[in-house]
Amino acid sequence: MELHTFGFIGLGLIGGSLALALKRSDPGCQIMAYTRTRASAEQALDCHAIDMICESSKDPQFSKCDCVFLCAPVGSNIAALSDLKNIVRKDCILTDVGSVKTDIHQAASEMGLDGRFIGGHPMAGSEKSGFSNAQAHLFENAYYVITPSEGAPKESIDAYRTLASSLGSIPLVLDYRQHDYVTAAVSHLPHLIASSLVNTVHDLDSKDEVMKMIAAGGFKDITRIASSSPEMWEHICVANSNNISLVMDTFIRLLEECRTEMAAGNGSAIYKTFERSRDYRDSFSSTSLGSIKKTYRIYCDIVDESGAIATIATTLAVNGINIKNIGIVHNREFEEGVLRIEFYEEEPSLKAAEILRQHRYQIWIR
């Protein structure tokens, strides 16, 4: 079974990146799309990410598709699924890219689409949103979870798995209920924790905002995802509330245990808490991306003198290395180096470190 003609409902960060990745993998493939905001579709058409703009989710052009990706919010995806079920061919794969699977799987079943709907969740993303931030390489080395509905043909599942691999992803087939429980722990709860931690500092800070001023290093790293789309995370938390509540119970229990041990002055128990988390975290694989996209950065010691940052930026630019962000680290309690340089991918970060070391800069990689 070959997948060559694709349809999209929605072209945000994930949908747009999928379209770009499909075109990179198979330049001859045909892609059509409908977006709520036509400007997004026109932007995608102008940069050749798609070949045709559809007028609605009921557009008869979708009948030509081998696979249709639903890339809008969950409620909109379910409505589009209802529109598409009598338009697309019987062998067309209907899929989504949502972070929560239960609602859309149940809706597909109620519509009689068991066997035709195969859920999908490329576990990659960014705190930024919209087609303007889409990247063809977004899914490289990231898990792409595939959740087949009951009765989905093996041929269709295999075709979807092959498609995910062609994008540079690591396909992983799971039951949709297991998917929602796993993502509640490794993706959804961390976003709630990050937001709550930021709001804690906001509520406790003084009028002169001393906390905000010195918040850097580890604090900014673990709260980076708090900058994600509020609209998207509202939908996710409501749709997966039961699973998130279950894992949140464990998290709250562990926090309460820490508070109890600190109040009792039980250093041994506190030590074991940090030891257990360190050992488990250090066992994580660094070869593939999880649900929260990794940031690649290096730290550099420089002398505080005019032109120092410009010299480094020029050196990297001359060597064809694109910098995502660069700035002075004012709080170095947990970090070495004065200058932090961030990159979009791992390879440029390693190359930058090598080049700067050749220029006798002291470099740390994180």
Side-chain angles (χ1 to χ4, degrees):
M1 180 178 183
E2 292 187 5
L3 305 178
H4 186 71
T5 302
F6 302 94
F8 280 81
I9 305 296
L11 284 173
L13 173 70
I14 300 299
S17 296
L18 268 173
L20 290 168
L22 288 168
K23 280 292 187 182
R24 185 180 68 169
S25 173
D26 179 11
C29 73
Q30 295 296 302
I31 299 179
M32 60 189 74
Y34 164 69
T35 60
R36 182 178 58 181
T37 305
R38 189 175 178 87
S40 297
E42 290 176 347
Q43 183 183 2
L45 187 66
D46 288 342
C47 70
H48 307 292
I50 65 173
D51 304 288
M52 178 190 305
I53 297 176
C54 293
E55 299 304 319
S56 74
S57 54
K58 296 180 179 179
D59 196 311
Q61 293 293 335
F62 285 117
S63 64
K64 300 176 182 178
C65 293
D66 302 314
C67 178
V68 178
F69 292 93
L70 306 175
C71 305
V74 174
S76 300
N77 284 342
I78 291 174
L81 196 61
S82 179
D83 293 338
L84 289 164
K85 69 176 184 177
N86 294 320
I87 295 174
V88 298
R89 302 191 315 266
K90 296 293 184 183
D91 62 345
C92 174
I93 294 174
L94 292 168
T95 187
D96 74 324
V97 298
S99 180
V100 182
K101 288 282 160 286
T102 298
D103 284 356
I104 195 163
H105 267 275
Q106 291 178 346
S109 181
E110 291 168 3
M111 295 178 199
L113 291 171
D114 277 336
R116 297 175 63 187
F117 179 78
I118 301 177
H121 180 200
M123 299 190 74
S126 167
E127 60 271 24
K128 297 182 180 180
S129 59
F131 181 81
S132 59
N133 292 300
Q135 300 173 332
H137 63 269
L138 185 68
F139 312 109
E140 290 180 355
N141 298 314
Y143 288 111
Y144 197 124
V145 181
I146 299 170
T147 60
S149 60
E150 187 175 348
K154 182 178 183 300
E155 182 183 19
S156 297
I157 299 171
D158 289 344
Y160 200 161
R161 193 199 302 262
T162 299
L163 180 69
S165 295
S166 73
L167 306 179
S169 300
I170 305 168
L172 178 64
V173 179
L174 294 177
D175 176 86
Y176 70 87
R177 289 162 288 244
Q178 182 186 11
H179 165 276
D180 285 359
Y181 184 64
V182 169
T183 54
V186 302
S187 177
H188 305 164
L189 181 61
H191 278 80
L192 283 169
I193 293 170
S195 294
S196 298
L197 185 54
V198 170
N199 289 334
T200 297
V201 170
H202 173 273
D203 293 349
L204 296 178
D205 208 356
S206 56
K207 289 184 178 180
D208 52 358
E209 297 187 323
V210 174
M211 289 186 183
K212 178 181 178 181
M213 180 175 64
I214 66 173
F219 184 86
K220 291 189 71 175
D221 284 347
I222 64 176
T223 60
R224 174 177 55 86
I225 54 177
S227 297
S228 300
S229 164
E231 179 185 11
M232 180 180 74
W233 282 100
E234 173 194 353
H235 286 288
I236 288 172
C237 290
V238 170
N240 204 26
S241 60
N242 289 339
N243 283 308
I244 296 173
S245 294
L246 284 174
V247 297
M248 189 179 286
D249 286 342
T250 298
F251 179 73
I252 292 172
R253 175 180 60 78
L254 291 172
L255 277 181
E256 289 177 341
E257 288 177 2
C258 287
R259 181 168 59 184
T260 299
E261 300 299 351
M262 286 189 298
N266 190 346
S268 175
I270 296 169
Y271 176 90
K272 288 179 180 177
T273 294
F274 284 105
E275 181 183 45
R276 186 163 73 107
S277 64
R278 179 203 62 193
D279 292 347
Y280 185 58
R281 189 187 185 282
D282 287 350
S283 72
F284 290 1
S285 171
S286 61
T287 59
S288 62
L289 301 177
S291 58
I292 301 173
K293 192 170 179 64
K294 183 177 180 180
T295 298
Y296 301 101
R297 62 173 69 91
I298 63 174
Y299 294 85
C300 176
D301 259 348
I302 58 172
V303 177
D304 184 9
E305 61 184 16
S306 177
I309 296 178
T311 299
I312 288 178
T314 301
T315 299
L316 297 180
V318 166
N319 285 275
I321 298 175
N322 188 23
I323 295 174
K324 178 180 180 181
N325 198 8
I326 187 169
I328 296 293
V329 179
H330 294 289
N331 182 342
R332 294 192 290 279
E333 185 177 2
F334 301 106
E335 298 170 340
E336 302 97 341
V338 176
L339 189 69
R340 174 166 53 196
I341 313 170
E342 296 183 357
F343 305 85
Y344 292 98
E345 296 175 294
E346 182 177 27
E347 184 179 349
S349 70
L350 298 177
K351 183 178 178 182
E354 179 183 355
I355 290 170
L356 293 177
R357 282 170 177 155
Q358 290 173 357
H359 285 76
R360 301 188 181 283
Y361 289 99
Q362 191 169 7
I363 301 294
W364 294 266
I365 299 176
R366 291 286 182 271

